[in-house]
Amino acid sequence: MKPISVVVHGALGKMGQEVVKAVCREPGMRVVGAVEQNTREDSLSLPDGSGKVALSSDLDKILTDCHPDVLVDFTLAPATRAAVPVAAKRGVNMVIGTTGLTSSDLDEMARLADKHKVGIVVAANFALGAVMMMHLAKIASKYFDYAEIIELHHNQKVDFPSGTALTTARAMAQAKGKPFSLPDSEQGQPPSGRGKQVEGITIHSVRLPGLVANQEVTFGMAGQTLSIRHETINRECFMPGVMLAIKEVVKRPGLTNGLETLLNLQEA
Ligand code: NAD
């Protein structure tokens, strides 16, 4: 079968470099081009020693010259916003991991995907273990009234709580059908100094060098607790999810938001 050809947008960034390495390793896929802003080079040496591919800051030129099946984007939200119409017009499917996109960005992506009959998979978290942690937390939410989240990230992360922790807390309350209960001492009190309270769940944010991205959801009821913990060691943790999305996006026209559908995780 013909390999799936991939262009990486943001190819010299931290995630972009991981994607180039992972695609080179993956059977049935190959990197055919790279896009990076302000680059002086016109080619990128592939990390597996298999040769060089075209590199440019001009996305449209790379897509026209390289005819990829999929554009993988890990850049910045404004760069992604500008790239989506260009790739859609060229009939190129997209896998998007850039964060900071709004719901109107997602609506526009869905419109462009339908108009140009391309697939777009966008996911704020490509770590498959994190997706499963959220799914399992949703299932457990029906049986517990109390829960807290501890999210632990590297000390360069500027936002807190993390987007994943906020999404988890909201999804847990939605699955439960109501907010969780705060401890009696905090009921009706001003916001707690213990952490950010979302849907009755207190989220604690730890920022330390040495960490990548970890999250633990702990539920409590009389005489017992249940913890669901996801840990990551390095950025490679996102690659199985990105590889899955590349394989799936070529078969799925339209917008797919999140990896749950690709993993066949039913609504909890
Ligand atoms: P980074 O700063 O290391 O890399 C971003 C790259 O994009 C840089 O090389 C930058 O030069 C390039 N870029 C920016 N604007 C561009 C443009 N207009 N044209 C071409 N290239 C452009 O950042 P990173 O750590 O690789 O993260 C990238 C994005 O991915 C961020 O939004 C981050 O939050 C997100 N991210 C998502 C996941 C996930 O699972 N979805 C995981 C990690 C990071």
Side-chain angles (χ1 to χ4, degrees):
M1 215 168 66
K2 194 171 145 282
I4 302 174
S5 54
V6 174
V7 162
V8 180
H9 192 214
L12 302 185
K14 292 182 283 297
M15 288 297 287
Q17 291 183 50
E18 282 295 336
V19 173
V20 170
K21 273 193 269 175
V23 171
C24 286
R25 275 195 308 262
E26 186 75 19
M29 275 183 211
R30 63 193 179 105
V31 178
V32 294
V35 182
E36 178 57 54
Q37 65 180 351
N38 307 328
T39 177
R40 291 211 194 113
E41 309 294 325
D42 60 4
S43 67
L44 176 75
S45 295
L46 295 176
D48 60 354
S50 62
K52 292 181 174 190
V53 294
L55 169 68
S56 169
S57 58
D58 186 340
L59 173 68
D60 198 33
K61 178 178 168 13
I62 290 284
L63 297 183
T64 313
D65 292 351
C66 304
H67 298 292
D69 298 309
V70 179
L71 177 72
V72 178
D73 174 290
F74 280 92
T75 56
L76 288 171
T80 305
R81 265 177 218 124
V84 171
V86 176
K89 208 168 128 195
R90 296 270 167 227
V92 178
N93 304 294
M94 282 162 263
V95 170
I96 297 173
T98 301
T99 52
L101 299 168
T102 63
S103 56
S104 62
D105 290 329
L106 296 177
D107 290 346
E108 179 61 2
M109 285 180 193
R111 191 187 71 76
L112 288 166
D114 290 342
K115 180 175 172 196
H116 296 284
K117 300 188 171 37
V118 294
I120 303 180
V121 173
V122 54
N125 196 331
F126 275 95
L128 297 183
V131 179
M132 285 176 231
M133 179 248 310
M134 283 189 253
H135 183 72
L136 295 171
K138 284 199 277 182
I139 294 172
S141 292
K142 291 172 195 148
Y143 307 101
F144 289 85
D145 287 334
Y146 295 86
E148 302 216 352
I149 295 175
I150 306 174
E151 55 96 345
L152 310 93
H153 284 83
H154 56 86
N155 59 332
Q156 267 139 35
K157 185 170 179 63
V158 287
D159 55 316
F160 60 90
S162 71
T164 297
L166 290 169
T167 306
T168 307
R170 289 176 189 136
M172 284 164 61
Q174 196 183 10
K176 188 172 180 57
K178 60 177 186 179
F180 281 73
S181 304
L182 289 166
D184 288 347
S185 59
E186 291 174 25
Q187 302 271 2
Q189 297 297 314
S192 165
R194 294 196 306 117
K196 167 103 173 162
Q197 288 171 349
V198 178
E199 301 285 359
I201 299 167
T202 301
I203 306 176
H204 310 265
S205 300
V206 179
R207 296 290 175 270
L208 282 174
L211 293 171
V212 182
N214 306 322
Q215 180 167 298
E216 182 166 322
V217 182
T218 300
F219 296 90
M221 71 164 83
Q224 61 206 292
T225 63
L226 169 68
S227 293
I228 304 166
R229 184 173 170 88
H230 176 245
E231 293 188 20
T232 61
I233 294 156
N234 56 36
R235 285 188 181 78
E236 221 181 317
C237 68
F238 300 112
M239 293 306 118
V242 176
M243 298 303 107
L244 172 70
I246 293 172
K247 285 178 202 156
E248 291 291 323
V249 76
V250 294
K251 300 185 263 180
R252 287 175 188 262
L255 177 73
T256 304
N257 184 9
L259 298 184
E260 292 81 356
T261 322
L262 308 188
L263 292 169
N264 292 322
L265 296 176
Q266 306 304 324
E267 232 357 83

